[in-house]
Amino acid sequence: MIQVKRQIILNESLGADIYRLSIQAPEIAAAAQAGQFIMVKAGMGFDPLLRRPFSIHQVEGDEIRILFKRLGKGTALLSKLNAGERLDILGPLGNAFTLKQPPCCLIGGGMGVAPLLFLAQTMLSRGITPHILLGARNKEELMAFLPAFQALGCPLQYATDDGSMGQRGFIIEALPPLLAKDNKVKWQVYSCGPYPMMRAVAAICHSKWPCQVSMETMMACGISACLGCTVTARNTNEKGGQYLHVCQDGPVFAADRIEWKS
Amino acid sequence: MNNKNNKNDKNDRMQDLRVDIGGGLQLKNPVMTASGTFGYGREFESFADLDNLGAIVVKGISLRPRPGNPPPRIVETACGMLNAIGLENVGLEAFIKDKLPYLKGHKCPLIVNVLGDSIEEYRHLAAGLDQEEGISALELNISCPNVKKGGVAFGSQPGLAEELTSTVRQATSLPLIVKLSPNVSDIGAMARAAEAGGANAVSLINTLIGMAIDIRLRRPVLANITGGLSGPAIKPVALRMVWQAADAVRIPVIGIGGISTWQDAMEFILAGASAIQVGTANFFNPASVDEIQAGIRRYMRENNIDQLQNLIGAAKGGK
């Protein structure tokens, strides 16, 4: 991991307040693995104070890309950045998804789809074609990230909460039928999305199919100094620890390691 | 950056950044890391030059490992953050076995922050660490706001603080720093209590107790309800308390609280701090300790100051 100030190549508005930011960062691009994240300083001042964590969405040559939605002060500042400006970033941080034998299913919702594109590309480069399930609030949000996934040519299903595009409802409903298609097949499930979605994915997969989830929490540093990015572990570990740290032990966890809260 | 530094090496040698923080401990420069913001050092090796630090103060150690508080533990606030980590740490035994060997391999002094629920626990910790090589001083954390018992009572009652300090004083020959809480009505009285108990220095401030509420969920953001406020937002309060503490005691005062730039560090030194600790800034800029040190050096060069020591408390005029 390194701290660098690197040039922005492109900051694209994709609709629905969603942006794709491309940064020229050869050192990070060369080292990055699907599932890892970077910490980005938004703005030069003390408000917002802390860096923001973003999953690496795509690596293209020397470029890394992140996908974000304008929600608060930090993302509002990031949305206004132009090509040529420099961004202070730390990365790559955290662990990566573990690639397993196919068949593989990737299920993501909202901005949680970000690391799944990089994961799908990594799988394709190793000869694995994943089955991709994507969820969004509505057509506008879905269209912000869907084309990048469609370009991969993998089997793809999608749903929107309001039914404005694809299946109406939560994409999670498409998971059990897919996994149940052939009982002899050992699916590997990879998920990133809103907490209730990952909790539902974990419940569906529990004790039947191996499942990896990418967790998000508030995070001050990203380098295991603040100890703020905790999630509760299902079983206390060998050291008697009850908590997992997203930046150090994750962000990718076996879904069964997490104590999911209702 | 490195090239620029090398070019100025000859000039740099003329600035003497050495400071004394009591008990015979001299630092090569006044920039230390604040406990709980720099892990056990190794977390920052890619970002900062550990050998070049004034001192490393490591994450607070208790006698036994502590799991810390349930999440959420942190939340960002305007120019600051609230934390309720709950003193999660590996415990004395694992610290000595797993963390100390790495830290001993560096050229900068190592200061171990210790915390307990009872005077007896503090005494055990001090005695245990006194046996280890490679430790330059102990910092007694009597000021953590995020644990239910212990810490905070020692930090708010001068009598207890003095009793604790003098008990630990007898258990170790290492220089003793007592880290003070700002959540008191008379910071001078607390500093005097530490001095009376035999502390070689006081460090202040720890975090200010605060809270944040999630208006969508209509409940406190932090699982602990309250947390410690840190970051640039608390700097003016910290500076005022350092000023007052420096008036109250003869032992060195170490300034802490929102220091994020070299200008902040200089304000604390001019207010009477013999050294400073960088805390929350390590989170958003892991290279800040190096940048602050370089800035102090540049300030001295530009103002023809040979010895930083001469600037300690200089804002107090004829004191």
Side-chain angles (χ1 to χ4, degrees):
Chain A
M1 57 183 164
I2 50 161
Q3 181 183 14
V4 286
K5 287 195 175 77
R6 290 289 176 261
Q7 210 165 49
I8 292 161
I9 307 209
L10 195 60
N11 192 6
E12 299 163 87
S13 168
L14 304 173
D17 285 336
I18 295 169
Y19 295 79
R20 179 168 53 212
L21 189 61
S22 307
I23 311 153
Q24 178 84 25
E27 311 91 332
I28 296 175
Q33 292 177 280
Q36 289 189 295
F37 66 100
I38 59 171
M39 292 293 281
V40 177
K41 182 84 178 90
M44 300 299 287
F46 292 145
D47 198 17
L49 184 70
L50 303 172
R51 288 167 186 269
R52 299 292 191 260
F54 294 100
S55 287
I56 299 170
H57 179 48
Q58 233 179 332
V59 173
E60 204 66 59
D62 283 352
E63 267 179 62
I64 55 169
R65 292 183 188 149
I66 58 172
L67 188 73
F68 68 91
K69 188 165 204 162
R70 195 177 65 210
L71 287 172
K73 281 185 282 197
T75 46
L77 284 168
L78 290 178
S79 73
K80 291 185 190 111
L81 290 170
N82 295 310
E85 291 186 74
R86 290 166 92 81
L87 201 57
D88 185 342
I89 50 180
L90 288 186
L93 302 167
N95 66 359
F97 288 107
T98 309
L99 263 56
K100 300 272 183 65
Q101 281 303 310
C104 299
C105 170
L106 277 50
I107 175 164
M111 287 303 90
V113 305
L116 300 184
L117 184 68
F118 187 17
L119 177 61
Q121 286 180 315
T122 307
M123 286 178 166
L124 288 166
S125 73
R126 313 239 174 119
I128 301 167
T129 303
H131 194 110
I132 302 173
L133 306 177
L134 301 175
R137 268 186 205 161
N138 50 40
K139 182 182 178 182
E140 197 192 5
E141 186 179 271
L142 183 64
M143 282 312 290
F145 52 75
L146 184 65
F149 283 92
Q150 284 173 321
L152 301 174
C154 301
L156 183 65
Q157 287 171 261
Y158 45 81
T160 51
D161 298 358
D162 66 356
S164 52
M165 192 175 170
Q167 281 291 315
R168 184 196 191 95
F170 295 141
I171 190 62
I172 186 82
E173 290 157 25
L175 186 63
L178 176 70
L179 300 180
K181 241 189 239 169
D182 183 348
N183 278 332
K184 288 180 210 98
V185 171
K186 189 83 171 171
W187 281 91
Q188 300 284 335
V189 179
Y190 301 81
S191 183
C192 186
Y195 188 90
M197 178 190 145
M198 288 197 286
R199 182 180 56 209
V201 171
I204 291 165
C205 294
H206 181 57
S207 76
K208 292 198 202 86
W209 297 283
C211 175
Q212 298 174 43
V213 291
S214 173
M215 303 294 289
E216 187 176 24
T217 56
M218 270 299 298
M219 194 178 275
C221 69
I223 55 174
S224 63
C226 76
L227 306 179
C229 59
T230 5
V231 290
T232 309
R234 173 162 287 172
N235 300 304
T236 49
N237 64 29
E238 63 281 359
K239 289 176 191 157
Q242 189 182 350
Y243 300 115
L244 300 164
H245 297 100
V246 170
C247 78
Q248 186 184 357
D249 307 313
V252 179
F253 297 94
D256 282 346
R257 282 184 81 191
I258 307 291
E259 180 68 47
W260 297 95
K261 300 215 184 314
S262 48
Chain B
M1 187 97 181
N2 276 336
N3 287 339
K4 208 166 108 197
N5 281 347
N6 289 341
K7 212 170 67 189
N8 290 331
D9 246 11
K10 203 181 155 201
N11 256 336
D12 283 351
R13 274 192 214 106
M14 292 167 64
Q15 279 85 46
D16 181 358
L17 272 74
R18 288 176 298 174
V19 292
D20 291 309
I21 58 164
L25 182 56
Q26 186 179 65
L27 310 182
K28 57 181 177 282
N29 70 69
V31 184
M32 311 161 69
T33 62
S35 175
T37 65
F38 208 70
Y40 299 104
R42 187 167 232 160
E43 292 84 347
F44 285 79
E45 66 182 2
S46 316
F47 309 111
D49 182 0
L50 303 188
D51 287 327
N52 207 26
L53 281 165
I56 291 185
V57 185
V58 292
K59 173 80 186 157
I61 301 295
S62 49
L63 211 45
R64 276 169 288 282
R66 284 182 186 243
N69 288 331
R73 291 178 171 187
I74 57 169
V75 59
E76 190 179 55
T77 58
C79 298
M81 64 178 283
L82 289 161
N83 88 78
I85 306 303
L87 301 172
E88 174 181 343
N89 79 93
V90 298
L92 179 65
E93 201 184 310
F95 171 74
I96 291 171
K97 193 162 119 313
D98 304 333
K99 309 293 181 184
L100 193 55
Y102 172 82
L103 289 159
K104 275 199 290 203
H106 287 85
K107 285 184 208 139
C108 78
L110 169 65
I111 298 174
V112 181
N113 181 287
V114 294
L115 57 105
D117 288 333
S118 64
I119 289 186
E120 199 45 22
E121 225 176 304
Y122 278 97
R123 200 184 60 76
H124 272 296
L125 277 160
L129 290 164
D130 191 70
Q131 304 296 308
E132 296 299 319
E133 271 175 45
I135 297 172
S136 296
L138 300 183
E139 182 180 62
L140 300 190
N141 181 358
I142 61 164
S143 48
C144 181
N146 297 323
V147 286
K148 295 278 178 284
K149 54 177 182 173
V152 78
F154 295 120
S156 56
Q157 295 170 31
L160 271 178
E162 184 180 338
E163 188 189 345
L164 173 66
T165 308
S166 67
T167 304
V168 174
R169 174 73 292 165
Q170 286 155 34
T172 177
S173 56
L174 288 167
L176 265 192
I177 303 163
V178 175
K179 185 167 180 176
L180 302 178
S181 167
N183 305 303
V184 295
S185 50
D186 184 354
I187 194 69
M190 292 307 300
R192 279 192 297 272
E195 185 178 43
N200 300 104
V202 287
S203 56
L204 66 158
I205 59 175
N206 205 322
T207 55
L208 287 149
I209 300 174
M211 70 181 294
I213 288 175
D214 185 324
I215 59 168
R216 194 176 54 88
L217 300 174
R218 297 179 191 164
R219 64 179 191 221
V221 175
L222 299 173
N224 191 54
I225 300 175
T226 60
L229 179 65
S230 66
I234 71 167
K235 199 199 76 179
V237 177
L239 191 63
R240 182 265 296 176
M241 288 190 154
V242 163
W243 178 280
Q244 290 174 332
D247 283 341
V249 294
R250 281 181 299 275
I251 54 176
V253 173
I254 298 166
I256 322 168
I259 298 173
S260 310
T261 65
W262 65 266
Q263 290 94 334
D264 295 339
M266 281 315 305
E267 282 194 70
F268 278 82
I269 290 165
L270 294 168
S274 295
I276 57 100
Q277 294 183 3
V278 179
T280 300
N282 292 315
F283 295 155
F284 60 84
N285 178 13
S288 57
V289 279
D290 285 352
E291 292 172 15
I292 288 169
Q293 200 196 117
I296 293 173
R297 214 177 270 284
R298 204 164 50 241
Y299 173 85
M300 289 173 67
R301 193 166 55 236
E302 284 167 9
N303 292 282
N304 295 315
I305 308 290
D306 295 333
Q307 290 186 303
L308 186 64
Q309 224 168 259
N310 297 336
L311 290 182
I312 296 168
K316 289 185 183 292
K319 194 220 164 187

